[in-house]
Amino acid sequence: MTVESFDRQRSTVRGAAVPFVAVAVVAAVVAMSSASTASAQDRYTDVDRTSVHATNIEVLDRLGVFDGTQCGARRFCPGESAQRWAIAVWIVRVVDGRDPAPVKESRFADVDDSEWWMPYVERLADLQITVGCKQDPLRYCPDDTVTRAQMASFLVRAFRLQRAESAGFADTGGNTHEANIDALFAAGLTVGCRKSPLRYCPDRAVTRSQMASLLNRGLSGATGVGTGGQTGGTNPGSGTGTPASGSITVSQGPRSGDTLIAATRGRTCAIRSDETVTCWGDDEGFREHLSVSGLRDVVALSTANHPSDGLHSCAVHDDGDVTCWGSGSQGQLGTGSAYSDYVPVRVSGVYDAVAVAAGAGFTCAVHDDGDVSCWGTNRLGQLGIDTFVSGHGYPRRIPGLVDVVAISAGQRHSCAVHRDGTLSCWGWVYGDEPTRVETPKAVTSVSIGERETCVTTVDGLVFCWDYAVTKAAEMTQVANVTDAVKVSVGDEHACVLRLDGAVSCWGRNAAGQLGDGTTTARLQPAQVKSITDAVDISVSFGSPNIEPHACALHTNRSVSCWGGNEVGQLQDGTLANRSTPKRVELSARVPSAQVPFTSTELLQDWMVDVVAYWGRDFPWLDVAWDHIRDSTTAHRFGVGGDITVVCAADPLGCTVTAMIITEMTLETVVHQLARVYDLHTGLADSREWGPVQLYFASRYPTCTSGSNLHGAQALADTLLHVTVPHAWLSYYQGRGCAGLPRTPSSQAELVVYDALDGFVPEWYEDNITTPAELWTAWQRGPSLPALANLTHEFGGLCTGWITSLPLVPPFPQDPPFAEFASC
């Protein structure tokens, strides 16, 4: 590797002896930046061209900094932790501008002299950038990862940064790298990981992409030139922590469709008085509670409301930032990608938000100047731009939409309230550009439900309409409400917050969601019992398996909820619906040391609770989780989740070696645990489980997860259904396999129940009584796991039933089945 052109242009020196880039090089970097992200994508298939790190990776890659350190063919592995040996290579090439001279041996006992990167480690020590990791003997720990604290010391020494006064980080006191962390902050290379209080997260590992950004920022003199974005997800120029001029405060009251409290199917989130967030409800509600445990300075909150789609949530912070988390498959998280992130991520390019509204697969935010930006899917014109075809992962301002003060997003469209009380709507039947909607009075708030849209007016009235109404004469006034402050609409029911703190509801009431003490539907509002001091309300959608509920936030920031409770969405210690409100027992705060900062940390913590709760009645979950716990990770790539399973003929059976979760939903994690339990030979009793596998392989052979695993997906979905009855079944209800009914048959459920209860399924004993019957059933959907568990039937696999009968075409001839052709 040569970087002679780079070396020739080095002309300035920072500190005593470390070379730095000349203005000409910085100018070249700036010129490159406009085209660099596309080039980075071409060279590395795993570098997201929309990532804030893409430009930094491209700049250093063109200089040859990464040569030989890639993690695979055309792969950079930007999200993986940076190892010390690779960092040595990168820093030396950036600092020296060339490769080091050959060295015969290393001073470090754990650095092999044959390693090509050994001279870089030696040069790093010569430059006094490293002193190793351990003494007696001296070691470098080349394969270890680098923490943010260690990274600070590396960069301070590499760029000879000056000492500085304390930056005021709340979590660096007493750290051996504290002085270098302060110097890094003063030089503008980092703004920390969190604000209010300012935190640095010194023990968190640095990723390869983050290290690339830090080195490129140091290379450009920490001016921000050519950096392609900020490290740590912060705003440019926000190192002082000064709030944006238009940031809102809680005292301003509701500004969006769901503001201080947000209910959706099966769970609810609310803002505490200290501007942190708490969530509760079903198991995904507890996942949300863990997800938001690191959020601070939150002043507005919104959660998508949909009966079946993946959900996401967003929060506005007091400095105008917006963070989102949850399902991101349509770009609704605003990071420029179509990946899900269950640990909150900052929305790119929004620094002055005053309100946010999460819709079904898209999100919109109101800026402090009254403009609106939206991102995500645009299939129905939800983004307010002139095409229905494509979506956008980054926020885009809606042309011509100005002076907005409140907003609501639904499943198919959005509506915004203007400063003068007028209303605009767009998406679905309104069209792909904002359309002014005539209302009887000046509007103060708007909410969009499944079919219905409702507004409150300046004189306290409520008007509602179905679908695309644009004329005031087509709207219906809600009777007996003259003091409305805010309205929240669900699926064929709604609630209104009144001026005196009371709440009234109307519509469907099968689960008691009107809160009036009955389950009788009402066309006119009835007052919710015992609610007299509400400051905000939120009504949820239900789903085919989960009834809707509603919640009110009180002046003291306690919460009362009522309605459906079959998955614990009322947080009252029961699973019984309630037709009157009851105060919610809010979840305890997550200790700061246990706040998950990565998706895998979140997944691991959440899975422990999922297994603990559902495993009380279904011990198979404990068995599967104990096996796969240490090999479970969260990934951004892929759909749903997957397991790594290897099947072989000798020894006969299957081994599950890893579980990957992309969509962190209850149905996904339990479905994948079901696959682990089913497919890893030996977790289930073979005498009981083999017949279960035979049943599904023979009846649903097309619902497969591999040529050797016929029926495995249908079996996993059925095991999910008998364990978590309300869960969405992706292969039954999502029509993932041809020939499956909408839900598992009663016989399929009974077969699984029999085995889980410790019995050989009755179906097997009634239908498989001879080797011929077993062989015929097995060949309908050849399954190696079933074969492994049934190997001792009728005198044994190769000495009994399989050799006594002819092969019936089309018998699989590929390994490992070919082994049995001459058994």
Side-chain angles (χ1 to χ4, degrees):
M1 190 277 296
T2 61
V3 284
E4 293 176 357
S5 60
F6 172 47
D7 185 51
R8 283 196 300 269
Q9 296 185 75
R10 291 186 295 109
S11 60
T12 62
V13 175
R14 174 178 291 188
V18 179
F20 212 68
V21 292
V23 174
V25 175
V26 176
V29 170
V30 176
M32 290 162 53
S33 63
S34 62
S36 63
T37 52
S39 180
Q41 179 73 13
D42 293 338
R43 179 165 168 82
Y44 299 117
T45 59
D46 58 351
V47 173
D48 183 357
R49 72 181 60 200
T50 62
S51 166
V52 296
H53 302 293
T55 297
N56 303 315
I57 294 170
E58 170 63 13
V59 169
L60 297 186
D61 186 66
R62 288 194 180 190
L63 296 176
V65 172
F66 303 134
D67 286 2
T69 67
Q70 295 88 345
C71 59
R74 300 187 66 199
R75 296 182 64 235
F76 183 76
C77 297
E80 291 187 3
S81 299
Q83 292 179 295
R84 288 169 62 91
W85 72 265
I87 282 182
V89 175
W90 298 357
I91 291 178
V92 167
R93 285 173 173 169
V94 166
V95 169
D96 284 348
R98 63 171 71 89
D99 289 327
V103 179
K104 291 183 178 180
E105 60 182 10
S106 175
R107 74 194 71 187
F108 298 103
D110 58 349
V111 175
D112 193 328
D113 297 343
S114 65
E115 293 287 357
W116 70 267
W117 42 260
M118 184 268 287
Y120 295 85
V121 175
E122 292 304 297
R123 178 59 179 162
L124 200 71
D126 290 340
L127 291 170
Q128 298 182 347
I129 296 174
T130 185
V131 292
C133 65
K134 294 179 182 179
Q135 303 288 332
D136 300 323
L138 182 64
R139 283 166 285 177
Y140 180 69
C141 304
D143 295 324
D144 283 3
T145 58
V146 177
T147 67
R148 287 171 58 88
Q150 294 166 342
M151 170 268 295
S153 293
F154 277 142
L155 296 180
V156 166
R157 297 165 188 159
F159 298 131
R160 297 294 192 267
L161 302 181
Q162 301 297 316
R163 296 183 66 85
E165 295 180 356
S166 173
F169 288 113
D171 56 352
T172 61
N175 192 292
T176 57
H177 302 276
E178 182 179 10
N180 289 330
I181 294 170
D182 294 334
L184 201 71
F185 179 87
L189 267 69
T190 183
V191 290
C193 67
R194 293 288 190 277
K195 293 179 286 184
S196 300
L198 186 64
R199 297 171 59 193
Y200 182 74
C201 303
D203 298 324
R204 193 187 304 176
V206 178
T207 67
R208 288 166 59 91
S209 59
Q210 290 168 345
M211 194 66 194
S213 290
L214 287 163
L215 285 171
N216 190 41
R217 294 179 72 190
L219 186 65
S220 58
T223 63
V225 177
T227 61
Q230 299 289 312
T231 302
T234 57
N235 300 347
S238 65
T240 61
T242 304
S245 60
S247 59
I248 67 173
T249 61
V250 174
S251 62
Q252 288 180 263
R255 294 291 300 273
S256 64
D258 294 309
T259 303
L260 305 179
I261 187 168
T264 187
R265 65 170 192 263
R267 59 185 184 269
T268 309
C269 294
I271 303 174
R272 294 188 179 101
S273 57
D274 63 355
E275 297 185 348
T276 61
V277 178
T278 181
C279 300
W280 63 92
D282 61 8
D283 286 281
E284 289 177 26
F286 188 75
R287 183 207 69 205
E288 290 285 277
H289 184 63
L290 289 170
S291 294
V292 304
S293 58
L295 288 179
R296 299 292 184 269
D297 307 319
V298 177
V299 294
L301 190 68
S302 182
T303 297
N305 221 345
H306 195 279
S308 60
D309 279 2
L311 302 179
H312 74 290
S313 303
C314 296
V316 178
H317 299 264
D318 63 5
D319 62 357
D321 279 1
V322 175
T323 51
C324 295
W325 62 97
S327 177
S329 60
Q330 299 180 77
Q332 60 264 49
L333 300 188
T335 61
S337 72
Y339 307 129
S340 299
D341 275 294
Y342 294 90
V343 175
V345 292
R346 187 179 64 80
V347 174
S348 178
V350 178
Y351 312 123
D352 59 349
V354 296
V356 67
F362 69 100
T363 310
C364 295
V366 180
H367 298 274
D368 64 356
D369 61 1
D371 284 2
V372 173
S373 290
C374 296
W375 56 94
T377 182
N378 194 43
R379 186 171 57 88
L380 299 173
Q382 297 98 314
L383 304 189
I385 55 179
D386 58 356
T387 174
F388 287 101
V389 179
S390 62
H392 293 277
Y394 285 122
R396 293 185 57 170
R397 298 212 179 200
I398 298 178
L401 190 64
V402 297
D403 294 327
V404 172
V405 295
I407 192 167
S408 181
Q411 294 188 56
R412 308 171 186 88
H413 72 286
S414 299
C415 293
V417 179
H418 297 274
R419 196 176 305 278
D420 61 0
T422 57
L423 185 73
S424 293
C425 298
W426 62 95
W428 197 33
V429 289
Y430 284 103
D432 58 354
E433 296 180 354
T435 299
R436 284 298 175 108
V437 176
E438 176 189 310
T439 57
K441 306 277 186 176
V443 172
T444 57
S445 80
V446 59
S447 179
I448 301 173
E450 165 68 18
R451 296 173 45 189
E452 195 171 39
T453 301
C454 295
V455 297
T456 59
T457 64
V458 68
D459 52 0
L461 304 180
V462 178
F463 292 88
C464 299
W465 62 92
D466 280 349
Y467 301 119
V469 164
T470 58
K471 301 295 184 183
E474 299 173 304
M475 299 177 182
T476 301
Q477 182 178 345
V478 177
N480 303 322
V481 177
T482 59
D483 57 352
V485 175
K486 178 183 177 181
V487 64
S488 181
V489 187
D491 181 5
E492 298 185 47
H493 73 292
C495 293
V496 61
L497 173 64
R498 310 183 80 140
L499 188 61
D500 61 359
V503 175
S504 296
C505 303
W506 66 97
R508 291 181 60 240
N509 196 27
Q513 62 263 43
L514 302 189
D516 63 352
T518 76
T519 55
T520 303
R522 293 181 179 273
L523 295 178
Q524 297 185 1
Q527 186 163 336
V528 176
K529 292 183 178 296
S530 72
I531 301 292
T532 60
D533 62 344
V535 295
D536 205 0
I537 55 171
S538 186
V539 172
S540 83
F541 286 14
S543 76
N545 301 315
I546 300 175
E547 292 285 359
H549 71 290
C551 294
L553 185 70
H554 299 280
T555 54
N556 64 357
R557 291 304 180 92
S558 63
V559 178
S560 293
C561 295
W562 59 95
N565 194 34
E566 56 272 86
V567 295
Q569 57 263 50
L570 304 187
Q571 193 82 345
D572 64 354
T574 76
L575 297 178
N577 294 351
R578 290 188 60 86
S579 60
T580 57
K582 184 175 182 179
R583 296 288 170 124
V584 171
E585 300 173 8
L586 296 178
S587 302
R589 298 174 189 269
V590 177
S592 57
Q594 299 175 21
V595 172
F597 287 107
T598 68
S599 293
T600 294
E601 288 177 1
L602 172 65
L603 174 63
Q604 293 272 357
D605 292 345
W606 178 50
M607 288 291 291
V608 170
D609 288 282
V610 169
V611 172
Y613 179 81
W614 295 102
R616 291 177 300 182
D617 297 319
F618 295 94
W620 72 264
L621 279 166
D622 288 299
V623 174
W625 180 238
D626 284 345
H627 170 72
I628 207 66
R629 177 197 306 261
D630 295 335
S631 301
T632 296
T633 55
H635 282 207
R636 299 178 70 206
F637 305 96
V639 178
D642 202 3
I643 63 170
T644 302
V645 56
V646 179
C647 296
D650 186 18
L652 180 59
C654 297
T655 300
V656 177
T657 59
M659 182 169 74
I660 294 171
I661 300 298
T662 302
E663 294 294 331
M664 215 177 292
T665 62
L666 182 64
E667 50 263 27
T668 297
V669 296
V670 177
H671 178 91
Q672 297 308 323
L673 282 178
R675 295 186 66 205
V676 172
Y677 181 77
D678 171 36
L679 298 177
H680 187 85
T681 303
L683 295 186
D685 184 275
S686 61
R687 182 75 179 95
E688 299 157 2
W689 202 251
V692 177
Q693 295 168 321
L694 180 68
Y695 176 89
F696 283 92
S698 61
R699 272 163 175 69
Y700 306 113
T702 60
C703 196
T704 179
S705 57
S707 60
N708 304 330
L709 309 172
H710 293 91
Q713 297 289 16
L715 170 51
D717 244 15
T718 305
L719 187 52
L720 163 64
H721 185 63
V722 301
T723 304
V724 187
H726 66 267
W728 173 261
L729 306 178
S730 57
Y731 290 90
Y732 284 97
Q733 296 165 356
R735 315 307 296 166
C737 293
L740 286 186
R742 286 287 299 170
T743 56
S745 68
S746 57
Q747 185 181 59
E749 291 186 6
L750 184 59
V751 167
V752 172
Y753 272 123
D754 282 345
L756 293 180
D757 289 340
F759 302 105
V760 173
E762 185 177 343
W763 164 85
Y764 183 79
E765 294 184 329
D766 290 345
N767 292 277
I768 308 299
T769 60
T770 67
E773 290 171 341
L774 174 57
W775 187 231
T776 301
W778 186 82
Q779 287 189 103
R780 292 195 194 107
S783 164
L784 193 62
L787 197 65
N789 282 319
L790 296 169
T791 185
H792 298 296
E793 295 294 287
F794 301 108
L797 177 62
C798 282
T799 59
W801 57 279
I802 198 170
T803 58
S804 64
L805 298 162
L807 299 179
V808 179
F811 183 80
Q813 296 300 309
D814 297 330
F817 289 111
E819 300 288 337
F820 303 107
S822 59
C823 183

